[in-house]
Amino acid sequence: MSGWTDRQREDALERDLTQSILVAYRPPTEPLTAHDRCDACGAQTLYRMHRPPTEEHPLRKGVLDFCGHHYRTHLPELLGDGWSVAVKHETADA
């Protein structure tokens, strides 16, 4: 019989799950096509943003598609919240 408490077991399982999520996460790399649409307005996607999981928030990850207008509008807030550009359309500004 193990000398671990239930809390110790839960903490160990949570650490293992967190490490599995962090190791398995891959940012999106698929090129953008004319069929990809901005999540805010439906215009063609020029920027695909992603937020990778962190040790503090392993399940807090995501992907957002933006047209140029909504990318510029939301960029400061997104960068402050851990988002970065994963894929940029070939016609997007530098």
Side-chain angles (χ1 to χ4, degrees):
M1 178 157 186
S2 171
W4 284 23
T5 66
D6 287 341
R7 183 66 192 155
Q8 288 172 318
R9 274 190 209 91
E10 289 171 9
D11 288 345
L13 288 172
E14 186 175 324
R15 277 193 307 276
D16 289 347
L17 177 61
T18 298
Q19 287 305 311
S20 296
I21 291 170
L22 294 175
V23 169
Y25 179 77
R26 299 286 181 261
T29 58
E30 291 290 319
L32 297 172
T33 69
H35 297 288
D36 294 310
R37 296 289 159 203
C38 175
D39 291 332
C41 70
Q44 184 176 354
T45 295
L46 296 181
Y47 299 91
R48 178 161 290 144
M49 306 290 291
H50 80 108
R51 178 173 53 191
T54 63
E55 287 195 27
E56 296 82 32
H57 303 286
L59 300 177
R60 189 177 151 209
K61 60 186 191 287
V63 175
L64 292 170
D65 289 348
F66 287 118
C67 64
H69 165 76
H70 284 107
Y71 168 77
R72 288 185 296 277
T73 300
H74 298 292
L75 186 61
E77 181 182 347
L78 291 168
L79 292 177
D81 199 26
W83 293 82
S84 62
V85 176
V87 182
K88 185 167 63 167
H89 192 272
E90 60 191 27
T91 63
D93 296 336

